[in-house]
Amino acid sequence: MNKTELVASVAERSGLSKKDSEKAVAAVIDSIVGAVKKADKVQLIGFGTFELRSRNARTGRDPRTNRPIRIPACKVPAFKAGKTFKEAVARR
């Protein structure tokens, strides 16, 4: 499912217009991205948690030359599925 399909699904389930649904989906995504960018944790009970995690610097290999390269430390977004979400997918 891509963003357009998600907007259509939200519009169908909520009774909102596609234009209003697109605004709502965009607002939710922007809010989550903004919070995680500020290192805040976003917990949606039953769905999951979005957070910022730190990766340490490490040594990797350049696949073209097979030489070791230094990969710098960085921060990455992470998502951990909630219990209800995991159970719903497992029952599939």
Side-chain angles (χ1 to χ4, degrees), residues 36 50-55 58 73-79:
V36 172
F50 298 89
E51 63 185 342
L52 192 62
R53 293 187 185 154
S54 297
R55 281 195 184 154
R58 61 195 188 279
C74 62
K75 296 189 183 293
V76 295
F79 174 76

Side-chain angles (χ1 to χ4, degrees), residues 23-76:
K23 287 179 184 177
V25 168
V28 168
I29 291 170
D30 289 345
S31 296
I32 292 170
V33 169
V36 172
K37 191 174 179 180
K38 292 188 292 186
D40 289 340
K41 189 184 285 191
V42 178
Q43 291 181 307
L44 304 173
I45 304 300
F47 181 68
T49 303
F50 298 89
E51 63 185 342
L52 192 62
R53 293 187 185 154
S54 297
R55 281 195 184 154
N56 294 328
R58 61 195 188 279
T59 302
R61 292 221 170 259
D62 183 338
R64 289 177 286 175
T65 63
N66 206 26
R67 289 188 172 174
I69 57 172
R70 187 75 178 145
I71 301 171
C74 62
K75 296 189 183 293
V76 295

Side-chain angles (χ1 to χ4, degrees), residues 1 5 8 10-11 13 16 18 34 36 54 56 67 73 81 84 86 89-90 92:
M1 176 180 282
E5 293 167 338
V10 169
R13 290 172 183 242
L16 296 172
K18 283 190 179 181
V36 172
S54 297
N56 294 328
R67 289 188 172 174
T84 307
K86 286 181 191 177
V89 172
R92 199 186 109 156

